[in-house]
Structure formats: C-alpha cells, structure tokens
Amino acid sequence: MARGPTRIPRSVIALFCTILQVCLGTVYAWSFFQTMLVRDVGWTFSQTAAAFSITIFTLGVSAAVAGQLLPRLGPKVLAVTGSVLFSAGYLLASLALSMDSIWLFYLGYGVVGGAGIGMGYVTPVATAAKWYPDRKGLVTGIVVMGFGVGAFLLSKGLAPFLVVRAAVDLQLVFLWLGIFFACVLIPCSLVLSDPPQTLTAGPPRPARSAGRPKTEPAAPYMRTTQFAIMWIVFFFNIAAGISVISFQSELLQEVWGLDDPTIAPAKLAEYGATLIAVSSLCNGVGRLFWGLLSDRLGRVSVFRILLASQMVVFGVLMTENNPWIFSVLVCYVLLCFGGGFATMPSFILDVFGSRNMSKIYGTILTAWSAAGIIGPMYVGYLKDTYPDRAVMYCFLIGILMLGAGYVFSYLLDDSRVRLGRPTMEATLKRYGVVGGEG
C-alpha cells in the first residue's frame, strides 16, 4: 500500500492551503494600518506607501525564488520557512514601532514579512494544483480566494479586536499579530506534501519518445515569447488593481468628503475600513468565480474580459462623485484583480505543463513585484502633488495600463508550448487530420 502523502485526503491538503492563503492575504488590509501609522506614529503617507511597496516587491521576488526551490525542497520546507518569516516580520515591525525606526519597519514588515508571503504564497497554489489535475481552475481559484479574503479577516475581525485590547498601541497589535500567525501558519505548513506520482500524471497520454529526461529545465520555457506576453498582461492587470488597493480607503474618504463635507473624519475612516473589508471579499470571490469561468471560456478569453471591463469601470471612476457607486465599482476592480491571480496558475499549467509549474509560476509572480512598486508609488505621488485631482489621474493612468494589457492579450495563445521541433504527425494531430473523427 502506498505510504506518505496518500494518507492525507486531498481535500485536507486544499483546506490547509486555503488557510495559509487567508493568513498571508491579510497584507491587503495595509491601508487599515496606514491611516493609523500616519495619525498615531507621525509617519507620512509616502513613507507608509513605501513600506507596502517594499512588501509587495519582496513578495514577488521571493515567490520566484521559492518556485525554483519548490521541486527540490518540497512544499513543507518552504511553507514552514515562509510562515516563520511572515510571523517574524510582524515581530520586527513591533520592535521598529517601539524604537520609532521606519527603516527597521521596512526591514521587518517589508523585507522579512514580504519574503515570507512570497514563499508561502507560491507553495500552496502549486501544491493544490498538483493534487487536483482534474479541477485545476476550481482548486486554484479556491486556494487563492483565501488570499483575497484575508484582508476581511484582519480589517473587520482580528485587527479591530487587538486595537481595542491594546488601547490603540500599534506596537502591541503587531506583536500579537506575529504570535497569532505563527500559531496558525506553522502547524498548517507541516501538513503540506506533494501527491503521489500516479495522481500528478493525470489522464493517460501518448507514449513519449525514448530517452526523454524525467525533468526538464524551466529556463528555456521562460525565454519564450509566450512567457513574456503572459508576464506583461499579468503585470498590467495587477498594477491597475493594486494602485486601487493601496489607497482605496483614502480614495473613498476623499470622494465621500467631497459629497458631504460635514462628515466627521472618524466616520470617514470607518467607511474606508468597511470598503477594505467588502472589497476583499470581492477579491476572494473573484478568484473563485473567474477561475471557474476560465475552465469554461478559456484563460485568454477571461483575461480579455478582465482587462476590457475594467477599462470601462476606470473610466466611470474618473468622474464618479457618488460614494456608493464609487464603492461598488472599486469592488468590481477587486473582483477582477483576484480573477487574474486565479486564472494565471491554470494558464501556466495549460501552456507549460505541470513539470515546471512552480518554477514558471514563481517567476511570473515577479510581475507582482514590479506592479507593487509602480502602483502604490504613483498613487502616492499624485496625492502629494495633485491632491484635488489625484482620483481622476489615478484612474486615467489605470485605463492606459489596462488598455496596454488588452492589446498585448491578442498576442497570447493558450496552446501548449513545445520547445522541440514538432513532427509531422504531431502537427497533423493538432489540426485534427490524424487521430480524430474527421
């Protein structure tokens, strides 16, 4: 009888992968802390925006490294390492607040915590996809949905509870967050494992040519035009969405303040926190919804729908003064933001196969790093330079990025990439001349 990972039902693996993503996804509640850091600690919006950008940048880079190491080290080692680093990031951030050192905060929350998120993020996504070769879009949608709803957990549950218990002492809040995440993440990480080879093999395939090595280098696939186009499209979708995520609370407060100047600042902050929570649910639901839809419509079609529909929404957001409509449209942007993350893992499996999925997926997440630097920083610059027109300029730039992504999407192809020169038989089979009914 098979031993090892076969003892654990794959539904349990998927559950713990999702729990990992929920905890790591709390990073998207950053604007909850951003307002408090500016108000209570005295740091500027530019300084706090840099902390979030460093976190996302480090996240993407570490995810690329984790993708290369995952086949060699296995999911358990990387998941535990990521969990420890993520928790340590909060502990270091607590120390930084006690010392009033923003550079230590950058190192702790940004570099150490971001590295933990990257290692933890790529591992459960790639692992769950291996356990469900028959439901790739569904399972990756469920797992990454957890990352999307993590902000709801923090902004409307855990963080407010700790803020009240700690009497608004952010040093204690970050300390207890680090302890809590360590207690949840490390046990979940210890459960992760790869599936047996019989499961990863999937449906029977035609016999491979003799002498083909069991493992293939991933680098040649990442030098293909298809990989470059996928990276570019992914980048533009993330950059547009993360620019909204990083300042959605402040943007809504600005719109609501223009609509009703009599609203107290405390009430505006409450409205902003509510938007973070609701939009995070949309982020999570979008990861499941678009992941399922991509199984039916195809990955390329879904990306085109995501980009085109957001262009229209961003155009409306440029001049929308009704805070309720503004909030609904922001939630749709988050729905599409999550959809990109749900669709890409399955897209990579379709195009490059499962052998190098973790390596290629980890590398393509560097698009997340680049978007994490550009998105929040340009919004922060606009708020400092053009405070009365920041909202309009923010969404105008978003339209341009989404439009560029939409144009590049027409260079995408969801057919399988083959590095070797195709044989005549393979070409005829592809076009239905051989091996089909007609």
Side-chain angles (χ1 to χ4, degrees):
M1 180 179 293
R3 300 178 63 85
T6 55
R7 291 181 175 181
I8 304 174
R10 65 179 187 172
S11 58
V12 174
I13 296 291
L15 173 63
F16 281 103
C17 286
T18 305
I19 292 174
L20 286 170
Q21 293 287 68
V22 169
C23 292
L24 298 174
T26 55
V27 68
Y28 281 151
W30 167 251
S31 55
F32 178 92
F33 294 119
Q34 185 177 45
T35 303
M36 299 178 67
L37 289 169
V38 172
R39 182 189 65 209
D40 301 331
V41 182
W43 295 341
T44 67
F45 278 107
S46 297
Q47 289 174 319
T48 54
F52 183 69
S53 290
I54 292 170
T55 303
I56 301 300
F57 176 81
T58 310
L59 184 165
V61 173
S62 64
V65 175
Q68 304 298 316
L69 296 176
L70 183 57
R72 190 191 323 161
L73 300 180
K76 184 181 298 183
V77 173
L78 284 182
V80 171
T81 302
S83 299
V84 171
L85 290 175
F86 179 67
S87 304
Y90 273 100
L91 299 179
L92 285 172
S94 174
L95 178 62
L97 289 171
S98 69
M99 300 171 59
D100 194 20
S101 171
I102 194 166
W103 293 105
L104 181 58
F105 192 88
Y106 289 160
L107 174 63
Y109 187 87
V111 177
V112 176
I117 299 172
M119 290 189 177
Y121 181 87
V122 71
T123 303
V125 175
T127 302
K130 291 178 182 178
W131 278 92
Y132 285 83
D134 53 333
R135 296 288 188 272
K136 293 177 293 187
L138 173 62
V139 73
T140 55
I142 291 174
V143 172
V144 297
M145 178 183 69
F147 198 88
V149 302
F152 178 86
L153 167 70
L154 191 62
S155 65
K156 280 297 183 181
L158 190 56
F161 172 78
L162 291 176
V163 166
V164 173
R165 299 285 292 182
V168 201
D169 185 346
L170 286 180
Q171 176 191 345
L172 286 177
V173 172
F174 276 77
L175 174 65
W176 283 110
L177 283 173
I179 295 173
F180 172 81
F181 286 130
C183 292
V184 174
L185 288 170
I186 294 175
C188 290
S189 301
L190 293 172
V191 179
L192 298 194
S193 63
D194 281 326
Q197 290 296 321
T198 54
L199 184 60
T200 56
R205 292 182 178 178
R208 299 170 184 245
S209 58
R212 182 175 180 176
K214 295 183 80 174
T215 59
E216 301 172 285
Y221 288 98
M222 291 184 282
R223 289 194 292 265
T224 61
T225 302
Q226 179 74 337
F227 176 85
I229 300 301
M230 291 170 71
W231 191 99
I232 292 171
V233 171
F234 198 38
F235 164 79
F236 282 123
N237 189 66
I238 296 172
I242 207 166
S243 65
V244 177
I245 289 174
S246 62
F247 279 90
Q248 60 179 315
S249 176
E250 287 78 13
L251 292 175
L252 177 63
Q253 291 180 49
E254 181 178 338
V255 171
W256 211 299
L258 292 173
D259 182 69
D260 185 358
T262 64
I263 299 179
K267 197 67 175 178
L268 290 176
E270 182 181 339
Y271 290 158
T274 300
L275 178 61
I276 294 172
V278 175
S279 66
S280 72
L281 293 178
C282 293
N283 186 356
V285 171
R287 294 169 188 245
L288 178 60
F289 170 76
W290 293 107
L292 288 170
L293 194 63
S294 72
D295 283 340
R296 294 181 175 273
L297 301 183
R299 323 301 179 192
V300 177
S301 297
V302 164
F303 265 109
R304 289 175 184 164
I305 294 172
L306 293 174
L307 295 163
S309 61
Q310 285 183 94
M311 289 175 64
V312 177
V313 169
F314 271 54
V316 176
L317 283 169
M318 283 180 61
T319 57
E320 183 55 58
N321 295 322
N322 186 308
W324 293 102
I325 297 177
F326 185 91
S327 300
V328 170
L329 294 178
V330 166
C331 287
Y332 180 78
V333 172
L334 270 291
L335 193 82
C336 295
F337 178 82
F341 282 97
T343 305
M344 185 54 70
S346 301
F347 198 3
I348 291 172
L349 284 169
D350 292 343
V351 174
F352 300 106
S354 62
R355 290 180 182 271
N356 290 307
M357 192 273 182
S358 63
K359 296 181 180 180
I360 295 173
Y361 182 56
T363 303
I364 213 164
L365 286 178
T366 56
W368 199 359
S369 292
I373 291 292
I374 293 174
M377 295 307 292
Y378 88 74
V379 177
Y381 170 79
L382 291 173
K383 284 182 65 65
D384 290 338
T385 309
Y386 309 101
D388 56 333
R389 291 169 286 173
V391 173
M392 182 179 68
Y393 288 166
C394 169
F395 293 116
L396 175 60
I397 295 174
I399 291 174
L400 296 177
M401 291 190 294
L402 291 165
Y406 183 75
V407 170
F408 274 101
S409 72
Y410 280 90
L411 301 176
L412 287 177
D413 184 2
D414 56 6
S415 60
R416 183 71 174 268
V417 167
R418 305 289 183 182
L419 294 180
R421 181 173 297 177
T423 63
M424 179 63 70
E425 180 182 1
T427 302
L428 293 175
K429 282 185 177 182
R430 178 177 178 182
Y431 291 98
V433 179
V434 178
E437 296 180 357

